[in-house]
Amino acid sequence: MADGKEAAVATNKKVVLKRYVTGFATEEDMEVVVDTVRLQVPEGSTAVLLKNLYLSCDPWIRGRMSKHDDGVAVPAPDFAIGEALANFGVGKVIDSTHPGFNAGDLVWGMSGWEEYTLVTQPESLLKINHTDLPLSYYTGVLGLTGLTAYAAFMEVGRPKRGDFVFVSAAAGAVGQVVGQLAKIAGCYVVGSAGADEKVDLLKTKFGYDDAFNYKSETDLAAAIKRCLPDGIDIYIDSVGGATLDAALLNMRQGGRVVAVGMISQYNLEEPYGVRNLYDIIIKAIRIEGLNVNGYFNIYARFEEEMAGYIKDGNVAVVEDVVEGIESAPAALVGLFSGRNVGKQLVALARERREHAGTTLTVTVRRHTQSSQSVADQAIDQLATQEMAGSDEEAAVATNKKVVLKRYVTGFAVEDDMEVVVDTVGLRVPAGSTAVLLKNLYLSCDPWIRGRMSKHDDGAAVPAPDFAIGEALANFGVGKVIDSTHPGVNAGDLVWGMSGWEEYTLVTQPESLIKINHTELPLSYYTGVLGMTGLTAYAGFMEVGRPKRGDFVFVSAAAGAVGQVVGQLSKIAGCYVVGSAGSDEKVDLLKTKFGFDDAFNYKSETDLAAALKRCFPDGIDIYFDNVGGATLDAALLNMRQGGRVVVCGMISQYNLEEPYGVRNLLDIIPKAVRVEGFNVGGYFDIYARFEEEMAGYIKEGKVTVVEDVVEGIESAPAALVGLFSGRNVGKQLVALARE
Ligand SMILES: NC(=O)c1ccc[n+]([C@@H]2O[C@H](COP(=O)([O-])OP(=O)(O)OC[C@H]3O[C@@H](n4cnc5c(N)ncnc54)[C@H](OP(=O)(O)O)[C@@H]3O)[C@@H](O)[C@H]2O)c1
């Protein structure tokens, strides 16, 4: 402390950045220089002079050691060459001209990698309340890392008793705390770490139920499956890359991935491409980036709770302490090879009672000319006779079907399917409870492409593979010809899962939904009032949760789902931009569906730049129908707190090797939520949706564009056309009309 009129001057060793880093950081990228410091806050300023006691080594500061001049999102500005690095640390106030701090106060917060730091924004410092616990804990379990673990697990992960939790980098600063919180919350927790010694520590010290050394596993997905055979409810991801890909394959329905960090990526020039994102749709998984800066409002509560756990012996702490500022560069670099065991920190000076050592998201109809065949007329007559109940013996009709000829790899072609002629009894067989439908309209939906391939690798699939030679199946609109089910009568108009054939015997009639708005075109129940409309509504309203003024981006915007999302966006008071694969569709978006702007993604050379042009202030909600490169480009353009509603990934459905999504790291600083959803989980809101949507259509607030082909023979080409964008609007096949 300055004790005379002239302030005392002390030497001040600092760790400075020597050069900007590309690839893995080395000790040589930093150097320790000796400077001097006046031990008094300069007159006329409001600042706090700190003597730094402990510096925290955190992986995130690696990002600040590279030069970013490409406009990418960064959590904090790049360090300047020759200036001291900065991070969270623990210090003692030497001098203060800020009314809230006095000399002698013990604090933690952002400080320099130096012996003394003049903190010019002292409001960012937090007073240490539990001086009865090791002060070093405020670099870890009671500081930023502890708060990160707590916010990630408790606030974002929202654990329930009995949940299966997986934690990567589990022996590290964040990981060790998450594991112990998981046990306190009554969960089953498995950790991965990069050394047998650490695996041991996880099981013996931190109470992990199981753990594995990821460096000695040849198949990470199999290792996770071995430890968590029933899957993962919560994955706290600190490493990203291949571990995230493996975890995605093992997530349970409704699972949550909290992206805390992606340390495996911080030193790579070209990020790992994450390939298993499609799983998040099938299993309705939420991936949420956590930026701890958004949680300082709960710090006080957290500090008390965590201090209590430590004192009660419910949370053990492992620190890896190195001594002296000269040790800091090696300690930081060691994080990326896993040299540290537990929270890595650097002790610069100790308070007396401290101890050294390791303590640890119009109707335009295109008719293909097709008149009703003789067979069709006969079938209709037979059906009519049957309905009149004029025959003792059930009439039999011919039944044309679209069947799968062979399992598909790569792009589906018309020749993968064939139309065969079968016969059908026009009455429900005696003794069964079923409904016989005359199919009126078949819906063409991209998702059924998945059922046309053979899956024998245990991969998650939305529905079983089709059988060779059997009729394809999908949502459709039909009329009940005969029924032995008490809730359904001959003559009823229904929609639901049916076969790609003229007549279908529905053996689970509970899945059929009666059509209420018969004053609207029945075909709408394949689209805007059926599964696709519900998809758009649930995805946008329930998952996207729009606010007035939000900036919304929709891909495959002229399609069945996309056109509805765009119009719902306008109803919700948002600004909406759509992408589509032809100028004709772009025009439709702007003139028919009220999109504020639109672009043809096929004529853009740089999708991220196209989005930047349309959204100079970024995107609040991206409703993703296509995945792949468009998703990657959107991730770069998301705003703070943005939501990616992952509805579909049509660009991926015909690929053998999925596109690797590279920009997931962006979800962490911007706390973006990437949430897959499956319309199957939203049928409980169907009745409300149907009324609301029918209202919008009648009021003219929602316009419908359909692409209708005639006759079952047209179905294979219509389905295949979805993947080249041949369809304009909702693709459907008309078999018979009411
Ligand atoms: N999560 C759920 O529960 C759920 C339910 C229903 C549908 N979905 C998904 O929602 C998405 C839209 O389905 P939809 O029924 O509305 O289909 P759609 O948009 O009417 O038809 C598909 C459109 O996708 C575009 N497309 C095809 N290949 C593409 C590619 N490689 N890259 C970019 N765009 C491509 C084409 O339009 P362009 O001319 O614009 O390229 C095509 O017209 C699909 O991914 C589907 O799987 C999900």
Side-chain angles (χ1 to χ4, degrees), residues 244-514:
L244 173 56
D245 240 353
L248 286 172
L249 288 176
N250 282 283
M251 296 303 294
R252 301 177 89 183
Q253 193 69 28
R256 292 134 275 163
V257 176
V258 188
V260 170
M262 297 196 178
I263 193 167
S264 71
Q265 305 299 296
Y266 298 166
N267 293 284
L268 305 185
E269 288 304 292
E270 188 64 35
Y272 174 97
V274 175
R275 300 196 137 81
N276 298 323
L277 278 175
Y278 185 60
D279 274 56
I280 76 172
I281 301 179
I282 303 172
K283 296 186 282 192
I285 290 163
R286 168 163 60 89
I287 307 177
E288 195 159 338
L290 177 112
N291 186 332
V292 67
N293 292 331
Y295 291 90
F296 274 87
N297 59 332
I298 63 164
Y299 180 75
R301 158 161 69 91
F302 153 78
E303 186 192 13
E304 287 315 302
E305 194 174 324
M306 188 57 76
Y309 293 144
I310 297 168
K311 290 176 192 175
D312 297 344
N314 285 326
V315 166
V317 181
V318 174
E319 293 178 325
D320 193 328
V321 187
V322 296
E323 299 288 328
I325 197 155
E326 290 80 1
S327 311
L332 177 62
V333 167
L335 292 175
F336 299 100
S337 61
R339 202 203 51 81
N340 62 305
V341 181
K343 170 64 197 170
Q344 181 70 65
L345 60 110
V346 184
L348 300 191
R350 286 191 162 80
E351 284 293 285
R352 233 179 312 111
R353 62 182 173 282
E354 300 277 311
H355 54 282
T358 295
T359 51
L360 287 227
T361 221
V362 266
T363 293
V364 170
R365 295 182 186 271
R366 188 198 299 155
H367 296 277
T368 58
Q369 214 47 51
S370 149
S371 56
Q372 203 181 24
S373 68
V374 179
D376 286 350
Q377 289 166 20
I379 290 161
D380 276 359
Q381 279 169 13
L382 281 163
T384 312
Q385 286 167 13
E386 162 57 24
M387 282 174 68
S390 61
D391 264 338
E392 297 282 27
E393 287 259 311
V396 170
T398 57
N399 192 17
K400 286 197 222 160
K401 314 180 160 199
V402 177
V403 304
L404 188 65
K405 252 162 78 178
R406 56 176 167 248
Y407 285 116
V408 182
T409 50
F411 272 79
V413 294
E414 288 179 51
D415 200 42
D416 293 324
M417 298 159 267
E418 70 182 328
V419 178
V420 299
V421 183
D422 200 358
T423 54
V424 63
L426 291 177
R427 189 172 269 168
V428 171
S432 67
T433 304
V435 163
L436 183 70
L437 282 188
K438 177 175 165 68
N439 294 313
L440 304 176
Y441 297 98
L442 306 180
S443 173
C444 289
D445 294 295
W447 78 286
I448 65 173
R449 165 64 188 83
R451 303 188 65 184
M452 297 166 76
S453 290
K454 184 85 198 141
H455 295 93
D456 39 24
D457 56 358
V461 287
D465 303 339
F466 290 129
I468 302 293
E470 276 183 22
L472 276 64
N474 195 18
F475 294 93
V477 170
K479 183 170 185 168
V480 176
I481 297 288
D482 190 23
S483 169
T484 52
H485 188 278
V488 185
N489 300 307
D492 283 350
L493 291 163
V494 296
W495 76 273
M497 193 56 74
S498 189
W500 271 32
E501 54 195 351
E502 294 169 296
Y503 295 89
T504 301
L505 184 73
V506 180
T507 53
Q508 293 185 317
E510 301 75 22
S511 67
L512 297 173
I513 297 174
K514 283 206 188 146

Side-chain angles (χ1 to χ4, degrees), residues 1 9-14 36-39 49-52 84 92 94 111-119 325 348:
M1 267 300 279
V9 171
T11 57
N12 191 16
K13 284 195 229 163
K14 313 177 161 198
T36 56
V37 60
R38 283 178 81 243
L39 292 178
L49 181 69
L50 283 187
K51 178 174 165 66
N52 293 312
K92 185 170 183 167
I94 299 289
S111 188
W113 272 31
E114 55 195 353
E115 292 173 296
Y116 296 91
T117 301
L118 186 71
V119 181
I325 197 155
L348 300 191

